Amino acid sequence: MADDSPPPETVLPGKVERALRYEFMCKMGGPPDFRYCNGEWCKHVENVVIDDLPFAEGALRACYRMQQLVQKDGTRKNVVAKVSKDPNEDKNTYYRDVQAQACAKLWAVEYNDYGVPKIVDFVPAYVFELVDRPGRPLIGAEEFIEGVFQKHNNNVGGTITGMQEERATPNAFSHFTWEASNHSILVCDIQGVDDCYTDPQIHTVSGKGFGRGNLGQAGLNAFLTRHKCNSICEHLGLPLIGVKTESDLSDRGGTPIRGPRQGIFQ
C-alpha cells in the first residue's frame, strides 16, 4: 500500500500491543493450472503499534499507519493496516485477500522468468489478530512502499490511464496469467507503485475462490474483450486477443504452453 503522503515517523506514537500475524505460504500442488493456489497458514507472535486515525480511506477500507517491532532493540518496520469499514464483514475476507496476493506474487515470479523488460512483484501481505483488544479483531496489513500510487486495470476489464499513457507491463502481466494458467485464472486489478503491486483480484472460470471480487466468466470476458495486446504480449509470444462475443469467449479451450525459460507460448 502506498499513497502520496510522507512515510510514517521513525517511531509511531501509541501503545504497543500484542498481535498474531498470519502469513499464507503458497506451495505447489493440485491441478497445474492452479499451481499457486494451495498452501498453508503460518502464525507468528508480534508486537505492533497502530495509529489512532486513518491516513486514507476507500469505499471498503480505512488505512492506518502501523509499525511492527521486529527487534528487541526497538527496531520497527513500517506497515499499512487495512481495516474494513463494515463491522459485519465476513472475517474470512481478510484471509482471502492475503491468499490472492500471495498467489499473484508467485505468478509474478513466473512472469519474470521470461526475460521481460521490467520485472514485477507484489507487496507481502498478512492478516493480524489483535489479541489485546476486545473480540480479538482481525485486520489486513502489508509493507509500506513509498512512491506515487497508480491503478493500471480493474476487475471488470477497464484500463486505467489517468494522467499517464497506458503502460504495457501491467496489462501484459494480466494477459500472461490467463495464458500461463491454461485459461483457468486471470490476475487483474493491477495497481501499485511502479511495478510493485498490491490488492490484486483473481478471476477463475468457476467463479469460486478469492472473494466477492472474483467475477468468474463475466470478469474474464470483460478483460478479454477490452484488452489490447502490446509489445510485451508480443515479446512473450502470447496469442492475440481479438474475440468479440461472449459466446466465443466461453467456447475457448485452453492453450498448452511451455514452461518458463523454454520459449514462447506459441
Side-chain angles (χ1 to χ4, degrees):
M1 177 70 188
D3 72 317
D4 294 333
S5 63
E9 303 91 330
T10 302
V11 176
L12 188 66
K15 179 182 178 182
V16 176
E17 57 184 299
R18 297 178 302 154
L20 296 176
R21 175 170 61 88
Y22 297 93
E23 180 178 7
F24 187 75
M25 306 298 293
C26 293
K27 62 181 181 181
M28 297 292 288
D33 303 342
F34 291 86
R35 50 190 173 276
Y36 303 133
C37 297
N38 294 316
E40 59 185 12
W41 290 94
C42 298
K43 181 170 66 174
H44 310 270
V45 179
E46 302 273 357
N47 288 314
V48 302
V49 177
I50 305 174
D51 207 353
D52 292 331
L53 299 175
F55 69 87
E57 293 191 41
L60 302 177
R61 301 278 190 273
C63 297
Y64 295 78
R65 303 192 192 281
M66 172 174 160
Q67 291 182 333
Q68 294 172 252
L69 280 66
V70 295
Q71 300 289 344
K72 292 183 178 179
D73 64 2
T75 301
R76 300 185 177 203
K77 178 191 295 185
N78 293 327
V79 181
V80 174
K82 298 185 290 186
V83 182
S84 173
K85 298 171 75 171
D86 179 4
N88 299 315
E89 181 173 35
D90 181 359
K91 301 302 181 184
N92 287 324
T93 300
Y94 291 111
Y95 291 100
R96 287 192 290 262
D97 289 348
V98 168
Q99 182 184 13
Q101 195 148 321
C103 180
K105 189 176 181 69
L106 289 187
W107 281 113
V109 172
E110 185 168 325
Y111 170 86
N112 295 336
D113 279 343
Y114 282 91
V116 290
K118 295 182 178 180
I119 63 172
V120 304
D121 196 8
F122 284 83
V123 182
Y126 315 98
V127 177
F128 278 80
E129 181 181 0
L130 306 179
V131 299
D132 287 339
R133 300 194 182 193
R136 300 168 68 106
L138 300 180
I139 61 172
E142 58 186 35
E143 295 181 10
F144 181 91
I145 51 175
E146 287 189 65
V148 178
F149 187 90
Q150 184 179 2
K151 193 174 182 72
H152 302 287
N153 62 42
N154 57 34
N155 70 335
V156 291
T159 298
I160 313 300
T161 56
M163 299 299 292
Q164 302 182 18
E165 294 184 0
E166 176 181 335
R167 292 194 57 228
T169 293
N171 294 293
F173 170 72
S174 290
H175 184 185
F176 168 85
T177 61
W178 170 245
E179 301 296 346
S181 68
N182 202 26
H183 295 183
S184 297
I185 66 99
L186 185 137
V187 181
C188 57
D189 211 6
I190 306 299
Q191 56 197 306
V193 175
D194 295 326
D195 289 305
C196 188
Y197 306 141
T198 181
D199 288 335
Q201 181 57 58
I202 299 179
H203 295 321
T204 63
V205 172
S206 67
K208 296 180 180 179
F210 302 113
R212 291 177 296 175
N214 178 1
L215 302 181
Q217 191 66 52
L220 296 170
N221 291 354
F223 178 85
L224 296 171
T225 53
R226 297 180 184 180
H227 174 68
K228 296 180 180 179
C229 280
N230 55 53
S231 60
I232 310 300
C233 300
E234 183 178 357
H235 168 82
L236 292 166
L238 302 177
L240 294 179
I241 293 178
V243 184
K244 296 182 179 180
T245 67
E246 291 193 3
S247 60
D248 288 339
L249 290 170
S250 299
D251 291 341
R252 291 186 69 184
T255 302
I257 64 172
R258 299 171 182 172
R261 301 191 183 94
Q262 294 180 19
I264 60 177
F265 287 86
Q266 298 170 329

